[in-house]
Amino acid sequence: MIRFQTILTWVRTLLSCQLPSQVHALLDNLLEAELLSREYHHALLHEPDGEALARKISLTLLEKGDPDLAFLEWTWRGLQAPAAERVPSHRGHGGSGQCAAMELGPLQGGYLELLNSNADPLQLYHLYDQKDLAGEEEIDLCSEPDTDTINCDQFSRLLREMEGDEETREAYANIAELDQYVFQDSQLEGPTKDIFIEHMGSEEVGSDSVEAPAEAGQKSHKRPFPEELPVDPKHRKIVPPSRPLFSCLNLPAGPIQIIPTIPTLPQGLCQISGAGAGVSSILIYHGELPQASQAPPSSNPAVHSLPKSPDRPGSTSPFAPSAADLPGMPEPALTSRTNRTEDKLFPTQCPADLEVSGKIPKRSEAVERFCHLLRDRYLSEPAGLDGILVEVELVRARLERSSNKGQERELATQDWSERQRAREGLAEVLLAAGDHRRRRETQVIAVLGKAGQGKSCWARAVSRAWARGQLPQYDFVFYLPCPCLDHPGDTYRLQDLLFSLGPQPSPTDEEVFRHILRWPDRVLLILDAFEELEAQDSFLHSACGPPPTEPRSLRGLLAGLFQRKLLRGCTLLLLAQSLAKADSLFEMAGFSAEQAEAYVMGYFERSAEHQERALKLIRGQSFLFSHSHSPTLCQAVCRLCEALVGLDERAQLPSTLTEVFVSLLSPAARDGPPGALMKLAKLAWELGRGHRSTLEEAQLPSAEVKAWAMVKGLVQACPGAPGAELAFSSFLLQCFLGAVWLALSSEIKDKELPQYLALTPRKKRPYDNWLEGVPCFLAGLIFQPYSHCLGALAGPAAATQVDRKQKVLMRYLKRLQPGTLPAGRLLELLHCVHEARDAGLWQHVVCGLPAHLSFLGTRLTPSDTHMLGRALEAAGHDFSLDLRSTGIDPPGLQSLVGLSCVSRFRAGLSDTVGLWESLQQRGEAKLLQAAEEKFTIEPFKAMSLKDVEDLGNLVRIQRTRSPTEDAAGELPAVRDLKKLEFALGPVSGPQAFPKLVMILTAFSSLQHLDLDSLSENKIGDKGVAQLSTTFPQLKALETLNLSQNNITDVGACKLAEALPSLAASLLRLSLYNNCICDVGAKSLAHVLPDMVSLRVLDVQYNKFTAAGAQQLTASLKKCPHVETLAMWTPTIPFGVQEHLQQLDSRISLR
């Protein structure tokens, strides 16, 4: 395996540093050597993945003979000129024939391997001097045998060409980063200093722009990053000696000599003027050279060759890789190589990285002009939700495994206190991308939330914030609505995708796109409504298709972005209802009560009287006010209030969502063309079945219907759409229209209607729950009086059909047993029955509620809390509620806890303590007392350090209130706790256990202490010693489980000393799977007769031998009260164990 990894490293480096034609030549040579079959050779030629190609070649070399020699021979045969075309063998000064360096063989790998190797530079230069430079026009070599010289004018022209080529400049900047990383700590000392002085002679080192080190121990300066290099030659300026390019030198006229020094010198260039011998300047290059094969070092100190120009393809110089080597390589190979380099150089972002990345690159006039046009476009768009901007808060989120048996991951439901601590604003969300981000690494940020929570409005607010200059870290922000781009058969290039929805740059001006490719880390792509793309989770695995210059589907482009093969280093901001993976996850929190009121005030800002009237209407209808956490519903309620504020004071808002939308749509239905509403409803349903919310003009039945729908606000132009794209004005409106179609359509059979409610378990909705608002609207439309509901939308013609459907749904709902439904389905049932407004049906459902209701892990929105409270009050009996991990807000928790029918409740410890503190501050002593008495934590399982800390806070509150330990002052939750489990695992367990020990004595009723965990807590002997000190206070403890905690004889002896304190209460003791030997077994056997209440002792899977087992057996004879001694262990012969079991049948070997 090690040999394969070595060969694979060589092949990876080789492929990443060569042109496609050179890789092709390598494969041809392997074919000629009969190492590849012709079919396999053809397959490798068409392999798009560079990593897969490297592995296949490596496996081939590993299978054939001596892979090391074969690899070197074949690669350099394929990548160099034939031997017949090379210059005849060179002879050194000593006239000893061909240079010994030729025995080294060709070099492996790219310039990173060269920089890290220890080869003799003189031998390497003898080797590279064999290369044919006759056909090159960049330089002319001097005919002198000892030096290679170049005219100053030619050298200056070479430097200008290097500076003028942006790709070459970036390539050399990357080399500068590498040598700075390798040699930044190099020092000049000892023999190195003497050799350095010998090379320099007695001449003084000096230059206007470059100076040699002043003393031997001085370190070289750090190299700049590519972003610090000048954009063009006219902006070049004098830089410190660490500058990698030759442009920092002031060279006099005349020939120039370049001398590479020994590897241990600091990286850089030193200029020596007046060197004599016809040479005007000498450049001494300090750098480490590659490791070659084992060969005797050359005794000839002369240097004969100048590295090839970087403009020459396939440069063989170890210091000057060709500029064409980097941009021309296959994209997969380039990506793989970049990953390895960045992982080594930038494992974490240092302050220097932040400083460099924060510098703004210079932008051309064309780029500035395009930016201005893009900003103007964003600023001209409406703000959304009628232009009233109330910033919706975001919450940091995480994914967890879903409750079903599949591998799907869903958003974890956090307690309210956790959500509060994670609240983020716009700036924090986007700055979070750079916290642990490596340079040139694409960052994916996802903002998730249900439909109607304001994700699209927030996304457009991001683009407007950039247009106002509030996001200076980005040069470009592109807002891309995914539904408007995902059309079957459409293909895009990358520039087509970016410029399709914004201002178009000039067709002849490609500076904008080149700037984007040059600075991808300053590009933000916003992908809105990402969930409407089918199978979006597969983008990380699907092929990204042809190069970015060729057209491909939207799926192919997005796959390239997600796989870091296109615009590597950009920021992707996704807005969706769900997503499987992202670097940073946030959740849209929706409106709080204060934000909802602020929105209402902004909606009616023109009239203070209307503001007060609208707020009074909304507050008077608690059900609708609980739904105002959804910005879309808040907007719909405000539109209905707008029609009521001018009416009589007795006017009130309706009590169901169905009535709200009927009131909003009935005027439009009366004014529309005949049948227009039903046609639009059918279209809404069909699009929803396909997970779509956008439509094209051609999908509408006629231009008249389109004009009517747009005037009435039912559809609107899709924001940011490139063409004639339309969208329903809100997701809830689409759901309502879909429910209208189900209720009125003759195409839907009566017996099929219950499946669209999908309230019974194991029944999947045919539309995958995408139109999640349909069940409630359908129940409301079917059960509410026809004349005031569907009759107002479609007339009296369909009344008979609706009556039949109502009878079918009634039979279905009456057969349901609410106690058997999961928590989420039970909440849906309550909402559906409320929308139906049928008293008999409501009473049937609430009377079937079980006494214990657990909503553990189910999200409880403010509307869910309101509906649950109404149902509990109407049921007429007491309930116990489990509200942990529901995200319930403090007002909702207070409302449920204050109900007289709620006798017990469980909630997050932090949330409950926060509620108590809030009630105490407001002086609500009666409600505070009720909240304390009803709260319970039985049983409690600590699974994180936060759980232990929260439990400690609860004990602290009790100790603060009763310093004299008076039983009357104890918190019922602490006093009544009987079972406590500790399962933090081997990492957090030893850290958190001392904190648990400090509070254990507060639980006076504790009966079961379980310290066993599947992942093993490993509290060890130290933890057992700490636990033993609490035994005198744990007078009610009956079960103690210390299994799998890495307890040795030391811990067993400490435990045995403290066990008599539990002699009167302890019934079960488990030490399963520890490391107890004979000494520990002896101590346990000694204390066993004193444990008069002990019934079960489990010491299985320990390390004591037959001697320890015999002592336990002998002690067991003195303990008639012990019922079972589980003692099987692999260290005791089975025959001995059987013999002991025959002596005492209470010994268990199972």
Side-chain angles (χ1 to χ4, degrees), residues 700-713:
L700 292 171
S702 64
E704 183 182 11
V705 173
K706 174 197 169 184
W708 163 77
M710 295 195 69
V711 168
K712 298 300 180 181

Side-chain angles (χ1 to χ4, degrees), residues 884 906 936-942 951 973-982 996 1000 1003-1012 1036-1041 1068:
R884 292 173 295 167
R906 293 196 67 176
T936 180
I937 58 174
E938 169 67 25
F940 187 84
K941 185 174 184 179
L951 192 62
V974 177
R975 180 192 62 210
D976 298 335
L977 179 63
K978 292 180 175 58
K979 182 176 181 180
L980 175 59
E981 296 182 58
F982 182 83
L996 180 65
L1000 268 182
F1003 305 107
S1004 57
S1005 301
L1006 186 63
Q1007 298 177 357
H1008 189 142
L1009 180 59
D1010 189 350
L1011 302 181
D1012 185 14
L1037 189 62
E1038 297 178 352
T1039 300
L1040 177 59
N1041 189 350
R1068 290 168 289 274

Side-chain angles (χ1 to χ4, degrees), residues 16 20 24 193 223 262 280 292 379 404 432 438 470 536 554 564 619 650 707 800 861 874 935 1029-1030 1073 1114 1136:
S16 64
H24 191 289
K193 178 180 179 181
R223 300 275 178 173
I262 63 176
S280 61
L379 291 176
N404 55 32
R438 295 193 300 268
Q470 297 176 8
Q536 65 271 16
L554 177 65
R564 276 79 169 171
R619 290 170 181 165
R650 291 174 295 179
T800 304
T861 63
F935 180 60
T1029 61
T1030 65
N1073 196 17
V1136 175

Side-chain angles (χ1 to χ4, degrees), residues 413-431:
T413 305
Q414 303 174 353
D415 289 331
W416 182 260
S417 57
E418 296 177 347
R419 292 163 60 87
Q420 286 290 101
R421 284 196 295 269
R423 290 196 183 278
E424 303 282 352
L426 169 61
E428 288 79 4
V429 169
L430 297 177
L431 288 177

